[in-house]
Amino acid sequence: MSKETNVDTGVQENEPALLDSESNSSELPERALWSRKIEYLLSLFGYSVGLGNIWRFPYLCMRNGGGAFLIPFFICLIFCAVPLYLLEVSLGQFTGKSPVIVWSICPLFKGLGWLMMTISFIITWYYNLVMSWVIYYFVHAFFPKIPWSTCDNWWNTDHCIVSHKDRLTLNKTADGVNQSFAGLLANESTISYKYNTTYVNRSLTYNTAAYEFWEFNVLRSSKGIEELGSVQWHLVLVLLASWVLTFCCLIKGVRSLGKVVYVTVILPYILLTVILIRGLTLDGSTDGILFYIKPDFSKVFNFQVCNNVQFKRKHIHEANCVYSALVRGSSHWARLMISMKPSTYIVKFMTP
């Protein structure tokens, strides 16, 4: 019995040595841990749900056959994204190391850690800009009169309309005027053709108030890449506010982030529920539901759908794998885990 006990103890003591090849010499300080298990779980839930679930995923479903898109999506999600998700979470929990150091278990994969950090850096760079747009809209939503609901603002053009219904009415009116003039000028076909072409082209230039608020108030972009334009200070300020909020959330690492996730994770689910209820009350909601219930199965076997670059990376993007955050967040929970058997098996399998 004593020999077996010594052998088991020796194995347990040697397991961490697989990952201490680079960390022992540097004598890194003790890694901070999540205060509660619920904070760690909320961070994982929040990392898997974002703006893409609201504006990207519905678009892909509509473009690729409605509910039929969910069939290949869930197949790739189960057989590709979920195992990769489990691998990253397990590595972080087992090792308690950052994404750069964790791959010391296999020297061949050391470059993956730096690549994951590079991807995370690029995403953080542009995602904070997207969040600055959200902040800009959020602030304007508290105005007494919502600026993207009217056409009497300084940035609106003469071709501004409030909604798409007004555009349909204008197009129908233009068609009626064109037909009446075509009848009056039947003998002058050339003049009639030129007038109709000009009028129809002008009718297609009408933009909604929401579109003009986005183009001429938020972006204020130049006419092309050859014109640099001026610095948009309103976007600079909200971008600075976005980075300040990010800094405040991470000022104390996982200890401050663990308190923030109570709001940033629970609130989006509440908003998604509100959006769902609001969407069900709109005109045409029944058609949208039927589009999912009665999908176009012919697109399931369409090579273009399966070969779509956005589709191939969508299940990975939904699970938010390979961005280093799963490994990094799980590494702060390592010492509080009771059982690490799945992680141990994975690490042993990858260790030469």
Side-chain angles (χ1 to χ4, degrees), residues 60 63-65 68-69 71-73 75-76 297-315:
L60 287 178
R63 180 181 177 182
N64 297 291
F69 173 78
I71 297 176
F73 173 78
I75 291 175
C76 294
F297 288 102
S298 61
K299 291 190 176 182
V300 176
F301 304 100
N302 190 343
F303 179 78
Q304 184 64 27
V305 174
C306 297
N307 196 43
N308 193 319
V309 177
Q310 298 171 345
F311 164 75
K312 288 191 294 184
R313 69 175 180 86
K314 184 60 182 172
H315 54 281

Side-chain angles (χ1 to χ4, degrees), residues 93-106:
Q93 291 177 352
F94 177 77
T95 62
K97 305 298 181 182
S98 67
V100 177
I101 302 177
V102 69
W103 293 106
S104 60
I105 59 176
C106 183

Side-chain angles (χ1 to χ4, degrees), residues 193-214:
Y193 174 79
K194 290 182 179 180
Y195 179 82
N196 289 337
T197 303
T198 304
Y199 201 95
V200 170
N201 288 337
R202 289 188 61 188
S203 67
L204 294 177
T205 59
Y206 286 99
N207 299 317
T208 60
Y211 175 83
E212 292 196 351
F213 176 80
W214 166 250

Side-chain angles (χ1 to χ4, degrees), residues 175-295:
D175 292 339
V177 173
N178 288 337
Q179 292 177 2
S180 62
F181 270 89
L184 293 174
L185 303 175
N187 296 329
E188 300 179 9
S189 57
T190 303
I191 299 177
S192 176
Y193 174 79
K194 290 182 179 180
Y195 179 82
N196 289 337
T197 303
T198 304
Y199 201 95
V200 170
N201 288 337
R202 289 188 61 188
S203 67
L204 294 177
T205 59
Y206 286 99
N207 299 317
T208 60
Y211 175 83
E212 292 196 351
F213 176 80
W214 166 250
E215 287 288 339
F216 307 131
N217 185 296
V218 180
L219 296 182
R220 305 182 193 178
S221 55
S222 60
K223 296 181 180 179
I225 192 174
E226 65 278 359
E227 297 183 14
L228 295 179
S230 59
V231 178
Q232 304 302 325
W233 290 107
H234 63 292
L235 292 181
V236 173
L237 293 177
V238 291
L239 181 59
L240 176 62
S242 178
W243 279 108
V244 170
L245 289 175
T246 303
F247 174 78
C248 293
C249 293
L250 300 175
I251 190 171
K252 292 186 178 180
V254 293
R255 297 190 182 278
S256 59
L257 182 61
K259 306 302 182 289
V260 173
V261 293
Y262 285 108
V263 178
T264 59
V265 176
I266 298 176
L267 184 60
Y269 285 98
I270 298 176
L271 294 178
L272 285 174
T273 305
V274 173
I275 293 174
L276 174 62
I277 297 174
R278 172 58 177 165
L280 293 175
T281 59
L282 296 176
D283 297 336
S285 60
T286 304
D287 298 333
I289 295 174
L290 293 176
F291 187 68
Y292 280 93
I293 298 177
K294 298 179 180 179

Side-chain angles (χ1 to χ4, degrees), residues 10 13 15 23 30 35 38-39 90 95 102 138 143 150 159 164 170 191 201 259 266 272 276 296 317 320 324:
E13 291 177 353
E15 282 182 353
S23 59
E30 185 177 354
S35 301
I38 186 63
E39 296 177 0
S90 301
T95 62
V102 69
F138 181 77
F143 284 19
T150 60
H159 303 289
H164 288 285
L170 289 171
I191 299 177
N201 288 337
K259 306 302 182 289
I266 298 176
L272 285 174
L276 174 62
D296 184 7
H317 180 71
N320 284 283
S324 76

